[in-house]
Amino acid sequence: MTVNRRNWKELPPHISAAHRALAKALREIRECSPRTQAQIAKDACQEPTTLSNHLNAGRIPDESLLRSFYTAVEKDAATSGNWPLPHTLDELLKLRLDAKTKHCECCTVGAPAAAERPEKPAQQPASRIVSSPGLARARRLRRRSRRREISVPQEHVRAPVPHREGDRRAAESAELGWTETKLVARYLADGQNHEAGFLLWQAGASYSAPGIVEAVTSCRTAGLDDAAEAILISVTERADRQAVLNIAAALDGAGRHGDVTFMLTAAARSVR
């Protein structure tokens, strides 16, 4: 296996041995990709500065970011001949868990020591929606649509037909079919907005038309309207326009006319 050796920065002296081991393993994985760090970061759905921070031991990566980074490099390694990777994903996750464990009061657990950090004034925590850009955009689009700031062709606006009483229980059971619904809800409840946003973006960017219908329906049924709309926004950003049309047709066929309207609203907004 050939690797691209890089001139790495020296790791901070104050980090724990476990964090140091994680950073070294991440660097060894990164060296298996011939692409630039910015290209890897884009494929892994994170900022280049975020990836650089993880590789230089500035922070311990969230599990979702570690997984997406590993997947991006794994794909590169498979096509460039740098296979197998020097560490498995399970090994990295174990190293991350060790690095996150605080053994004593002197441990800094993935951040510079308190004495080295400038004091910042106390701030109110960001709301769930504000701290997740995809969910925030869904909420803004919904408000603008309601205020008619964005015009939507009226021929596409049709009221959904409610289920008959006898069909309701079976319908609700079917509508909760997306297995990731509870995970998204838990992420949002725990303030893990990036993890929720990444999961929703991934669904919208890669699911087939039936999968999108199932995911959106399940989120709506669970009361996660912002999550459902974040999926729809991700759908409108696909390069394959035929796939977007197929998804719109599938939503329409499933009676989800309001979601078709939202997709049109989101698409119209994106081209302005």
Side-chain angles (χ1 to χ4, degrees), residues 199-234:
L199 192 59
L200 297 167
W201 171 85
Q202 193 174 46
S206 62
Y207 280 19
S208 64
I212 294 294
V213 173
E214 184 177 63
V216 169
T217 301
S218 190
C219 285
R220 293 284 195 198
T221 302
L224 304 174
D225 288 331
D226 294 325
E229 288 163 7
I231 294 174
L232 294 172
I233 288 171
S234 180

CSV table of all heavy atoms in Angstrom, one decimal, residues 199-234:
chain,number,residue,atom,x,y,z
A,199,LEU,N,-27.6,13.4,9.1
A,199,LEU,CA,-28.5,12.3,8.8
A,199,LEU,C,-29.6,12.6,7.8
A,199,LEU,O,-29.9,11.9,6.9
A,199,LEU,CB,-29.1,11.7,10.1
A,199,LEU,CG,-29.7,10.3,10.0
A,199,LEU,CD1,-28.8,9.3,9.5
A,199,LEU,CD2,-30.3,10.0,11.4
A,200,LEU,N,-30.2,13.8,8.0
A,200,LEU,CA,-31.3,14.3,7.2
A,200,LEU,C,-30.8,14.6,5.8
A,200,LEU,O,-31.4,14.3,4.8
A,200,LEU,CB,-32.0,15.5,7.8
A,200,LEU,CG,-32.7,15.2,9.2
A,200,LEU,CD1,-33.0,16.5,9.9
A,200,LEU,CD2,-33.9,14.3,9.0
A,201,TRP,N,-29.6,15.3,5.7
A,201,TRP,CA,-29.0,15.6,4.4
A,201,TRP,C,-28.7,14.4,3.6
A,201,TRP,O,-29.0,14.3,2.4
A,201,TRP,CB,-27.7,16.5,4.6
A,201,TRP,CG,-27.0,16.7,3.3
A,201,TRP,CD1,-27.2,17.6,2.4
A,201,TRP,CD2,-26.0,15.8,2.8
A,201,TRP,NE1,-26.3,17.5,1.3
A,201,TRP,CE2,-25.6,16.4,1.6
A,201,TRP,CE3,-25.3,14.7,3.3
A,201,TRP,CZ2,-24.6,15.8,0.8
A,201,TRP,CZ3,-24.3,14.1,2.5
A,201,TRP,CH2,-24.0,14.7,1.3
A,202,GLN,N,-28.1,13.4,4.3
A,202,GLN,CA,-27.8,12.1,3.6
A,202,GLN,C,-29.0,11.4,3.1
A,202,GLN,O,-29.0,10.9,2.0
A,202,GLN,CB,-27.0,11.2,4.6
A,202,GLN,CG,-26.3,10.0,4.0
A,202,GLN,CD,-25.5,9.3,5.0
A,202,GLN,OE1,-26.0,9.0,6.1
A,202,GLN,NE2,-24.3,8.9,4.7
A,203,ALA,N,-30.1,11.5,3.9
A,203,ALA,CA,-31.3,10.9,3.4
A,203,ALA,C,-31.8,11.5,2.1
A,203,ALA,O,-32.1,10.9,1.1
A,203,ALA,CB,-32.4,10.9,4.5
A,204,GLY,N,-31.9,12.9,2.1
A,204,GLY,CA,-32.4,13.6,1.0
A,204,GLY,C,-31.5,13.5,-0.2
A,204,GLY,O,-31.9,13.5,-1.4
A,205,ALA,N,-30.2,13.3,0.0
A,205,ALA,CA,-29.2,13.3,-1.1
A,205,ALA,C,-29.1,11.9,-1.7
A,205,ALA,O,-28.6,11.8,-2.9
A,205,ALA,CB,-27.8,13.7,-0.6
A,206,SER,N,-29.5,10.8,-1.0
A,206,SER,CA,-29.2,9.5,-1.5
A,206,SER,C,-30.4,8.5,-1.6
A,206,SER,O,-30.3,7.5,-2.3
A,206,SER,CB,-28.1,8.9,-0.7
A,206,SER,OG,-28.5,8.7,0.7
A,207,TYR,N,-31.5,8.8,-0.9
A,207,TYR,CA,-32.6,7.8,-0.8
A,207,TYR,C,-33.3,7.8,-2.2
A,207,TYR,O,-33.4,8.8,-2.9
A,207,TYR,CB,-33.6,8.2,0.2
A,207,TYR,CG,-33.2,7.8,1.6
A,207,TYR,CD1,-31.8,7.5,2.0
A,207,TYR,CD2,-34.1,7.7,2.7
A,207,TYR,CE1,-31.5,7.1,3.2
A,207,TYR,CE2,-33.8,7.3,4.0
A,207,TYR,CZ,-32.4,7.0,4.2
A,207,TYR,OH,-32.1,6.6,5.5
A,208,SER,N,-33.9,6.6,-2.5
A,208,SER,CA,-34.7,6.5,-3.6
A,208,SER,C,-36.1,7.2,-3.4
A,208,SER,O,-36.3,7.6,-2.2
A,208,SER,CB,-35.0,5.0,-3.9
A,208,SER,OG,-35.7,4.4,-2.8
A,209,ALA,N,-36.9,7.3,-4.4
A,209,ALA,CA,-38.2,8.0,-4.2
A,209,ALA,C,-39.0,7.4,-3.1
A,209,ALA,O,-39.6,8.1,-2.3
A,209,ALA,CB,-38.9,8.1,-5.6
A,210,PRO,N,-39.2,6.0,-3.1
A,210,PRO,CA,-40.0,5.4,-2.0
A,210,PRO,C,-39.4,5.7,-0.7
A,210,PRO,O,-40.1,5.9,0.3
A,210,PRO,CB,-40.0,3.9,-2.4
A,210,PRO,CG,-39.8,3.9,-3.8
A,210,PRO,CD,-38.8,5.0,-4.1
A,211,GLY,N,-38.0,5.7,-0.6
A,211,GLY,CA,-37.4,5.9,0.7
A,211,GLY,C,-37.6,7.4,1.2
A,211,GLY,O,-37.8,7.6,2.4
A,212,ILE,N,-37.6,8.3,0.3
A,212,ILE,CA,-37.9,9.7,0.6
A,212,ILE,C,-39.3,9.8,1.2
A,212,ILE,O,-39.6,10.5,2.2
A,212,ILE,CB,-37.7,10.7,-0.6
A,212,ILE,CG1,-36.2,10.7,-1.0
A,212,ILE,CG2,-38.2,12.1,-0.3
A,212,ILE,CD1,-35.3,11.3,0.0
A,213,VAL,N,-40.3,9.2,0.5
A,213,VAL,CA,-41.7,9.3,0.9
A,213,VAL,C,-41.8,8.7,2.3
A,213,VAL,O,-42.4,9.3,3.2
A,213,VAL,CB,-42.6,8.5,-0.1
A,213,VAL,CG1,-44.0,8.4,0.5
A,213,VAL,CG2,-42.6,9.2,-1.4
A,214,GLU,N,-41.1,7.6,2.6
A,214,GLU,CA,-41.2,6.9,3.9
A,214,GLU,C,-40.6,7.8,5.0
A,214,GLU,O,-41.1,8.0,6.0
A,214,GLU,CB,-40.5,5.6,3.8
A,214,GLU,CG,-40.6,4.8,5.1
A,214,GLU,CD,-39.9,3.4,5.0
A,214,GLU,OE1,-38.7,3.4,4.7
A,214,GLU,OE2,-40.6,2.4,5.1
A,215,ALA,N,-39.4,8.4,4.7
A,215,ALA,CA,-38.7,9.2,5.6
A,215,ALA,C,-39.5,10.5,6.0
A,215,ALA,O,-39.6,10.8,7.1
A,215,ALA,CB,-37.3,9.6,5.1
A,216,VAL,N,-40.0,11.2,4.9
A,216,VAL,CA,-40.7,12.4,5.2
A,216,VAL,C,-42.0,12.1,5.9
A,216,VAL,O,-42.3,12.8,6.8
A,216,VAL,CB,-41.0,13.1,3.8
A,216,VAL,CG1,-42.0,14.3,4.0
A,216,VAL,CG2,-39.7,13.6,3.2
A,217,THR,N,-42.7,11.1,5.5
A,217,THR,CA,-44.0,10.7,6.2
A,217,THR,C,-43.7,10.4,7.6
A,217,THR,O,-44.5,10.9,8.5
A,217,THR,CB,-44.6,9.5,5.5
A,217,THR,OG1,-44.9,9.9,4.1
A,217,THR,CG2,-45.9,9.2,6.1
A,218,SER,N,-42.7,9.7,7.9
A,218,SER,CA,-42.4,9.3,9.3
A,218,SER,C,-42.1,10.5,10.1
A,218,SER,O,-42.5,10.6,11.3
A,218,SER,CB,-41.3,8.3,9.3
A,218,SER,OG,-41.1,7.7,10.6
A,219,CYS,N,-41.2,11.4,9.6
A,219,CYS,CA,-40.9,12.6,10.3
A,219,CYS,C,-42.1,13.5,10.6
A,219,CYS,O,-42.3,14.0,11.7
A,219,CYS,CB,-39.8,13.4,9.6
A,219,CYS,SG,-38.2,12.7,9.6
A,220,ARG,N,-43.0,13.6,9.6
A,220,ARG,CA,-44.2,14.4,9.8
A,220,ARG,C,-45.1,13.8,10.9
A,220,ARG,O,-45.6,14.5,11.7
A,220,ARG,CB,-45.0,14.5,8.5
A,220,ARG,CG,-44.3,15.2,7.3
A,220,ARG,CD,-44.4,16.7,7.5
A,220,ARG,NE,-44.1,17.4,6.3
A,220,ARG,CZ,-43.7,18.7,6.2
A,220,ARG,NH1,-43.7,19.4,7.4
A,220,ARG,NH2,-43.4,19.3,5.1
A,221,THR,N,-45.2,12.5,10.8
A,221,THR,CA,-46.1,11.8,11.8
A,221,THR,C,-45.5,12.0,13.2
A,221,THR,O,-46.3,12.1,14.2
A,221,THR,CB,-46.2,10.3,11.4
A,221,THR,OG1,-46.7,10.2,10.1
A,221,THR,CG2,-47.1,9.6,12.4
A,222,ALA,N,-44.2,12.0,13.3
A,222,ALA,CA,-43.6,12.1,14.6
A,222,ALA,C,-43.5,13.6,15.1
A,222,ALA,O,-43.0,13.9,16.2
A,222,ALA,CB,-42.2,11.6,14.6
A,223,GLY,N,-44.1,14.5,14.3
A,223,GLY,CA,-44.0,15.9,14.7
A,223,GLY,C,-42.7,16.6,14.4
A,223,GLY,O,-42.5,17.7,14.8
A,224,LEU,N,-41.9,16.0,13.6
A,224,LEU,CA,-40.6,16.6,13.3
A,224,LEU,C,-40.7,17.3,11.9
A,224,LEU,O,-40.0,16.9,10.9
A,224,LEU,CB,-39.5,15.5,13.2
A,224,LEU,CG,-39.3,14.7,14.5
A,224,LEU,CD1,-38.4,13.5,14.3
A,224,LEU,CD2,-38.9,15.5,15.7
A,225,ASP,N,-41.5,18.3,11.8
A,225,ASP,CA,-41.7,19.0,10.6
A,225,ASP,C,-40.4,19.6,10.0
A,225,ASP,O,-40.2,19.5,8.8
A,225,ASP,CB,-42.7,20.1,10.7
A,225,ASP,CG,-44.1,19.5,10.9
A,225,ASP,OD1,-44.4,18.4,10.4
A,225,ASP,OD2,-45.0,20.2,11.6
A,226,ASP,N,-39.6,20.2,10.8
A,226,ASP,CA,-38.3,20.8,10.4
A,226,ASP,C,-37.4,19.7,9.8
A,226,ASP,O,-36.7,20.0,8.8
A,226,ASP,CB,-37.6,21.6,11.5
A,226,ASP,CG,-38.4,22.8,11.9
A,226,ASP,OD1,-39.0,23.4,11.1
A,226,ASP,OD2,-38.4,23.1,13.1
A,227,ALA,N,-37.4,18.6,10.4
A,227,ALA,CA,-36.6,17.5,9.9
A,227,ALA,C,-37.1,17.0,8.5
A,227,ALA,O,-36.3,16.8,7.6
A,227,ALA,CB,-36.6,16.3,10.9
A,228,ALA,N,-38.4,16.8,8.4
A,228,ALA,CA,-39.0,16.4,7.1
A,228,ALA,C,-38.6,17.4,6.0
A,228,ALA,O,-38.2,17.0,4.9
A,228,ALA,CB,-40.5,16.3,7.2
A,229,GLU,N,-38.7,18.7,6.3
A,229,GLU,CA,-38.4,19.7,5.3
A,229,GLU,C,-36.9,19.9,5.0
A,229,GLU,O,-36.6,20.2,3.9
A,229,GLU,CB,-39.0,21.0,5.8
A,229,GLU,CG,-40.6,21.0,5.7
A,229,GLU,CD,-41.3,22.0,6.5
A,229,GLU,OE1,-40.6,22.9,7.1
A,229,GLU,OE2,-42.5,22.0,6.6
A,230,ALA,N,-36.1,19.5,6.0
A,230,ALA,CA,-34.6,19.5,5.7
A,230,ALA,C,-34.3,18.4,4.7
A,230,ALA,O,-33.5,18.6,3.8
A,230,ALA,CB,-33.9,19.3,7.0
A,231,ILE,N,-35.0,17.3,4.8
A,231,ILE,CA,-34.8,16.2,3.8
A,231,ILE,C,-35.3,16.7,2.4
A,231,ILE,O,-34.6,16.5,1.4
A,231,ILE,CB,-35.7,15.0,4.2
A,231,ILE,CG1,-35.1,14.3,5.5
A,231,ILE,CG2,-35.7,13.9,3.1
A,231,ILE,CD1,-36.0,13.2,6.0
A,232,LEU,N,-36.4,17.4,2.4
A,232,LEU,CA,-36.9,17.9,1.1
A,232,LEU,C,-36.0,18.9,0.5
A,232,LEU,O,-35.8,18.9,-0.8
A,232,LEU,CB,-38.3,18.4,1.3
A,232,LEU,CG,-39.4,17.4,1.7
A,232,LEU,CD1,-40.7,18.2,2.0
A,232,LEU,CD2,-39.6,16.4,0.6
A,233,ILE,N,-35.4,19.8,1.3
A,233,ILE,CA,-34.4,20.7,0.8
A,233,ILE,C,-33.2,20.0,0.2
A,233,ILE,O,-32.7,20.4,-0.9
A,233,ILE,CB,-34.0,21.7,1.9
A,233,ILE,CG1,-35.1,22.6,2.3
A,233,ILE,CG2,-32.8,22.5,1.5
A,233,ILE,CD1,-34.9,23.5,3.5
A,234,SER,N,-32.7,19.0,0.9
A,234,SER,CA,-31.6,18.2,0.4
A,234,SER,C,-32.0,17.6,-1.0
A,234,SER,O,-31.1,17.5,-1.9
A,234,SER,CB,-31.2,17.2,1.4
A,234,SER,OG,-30.1,16.4,0.9
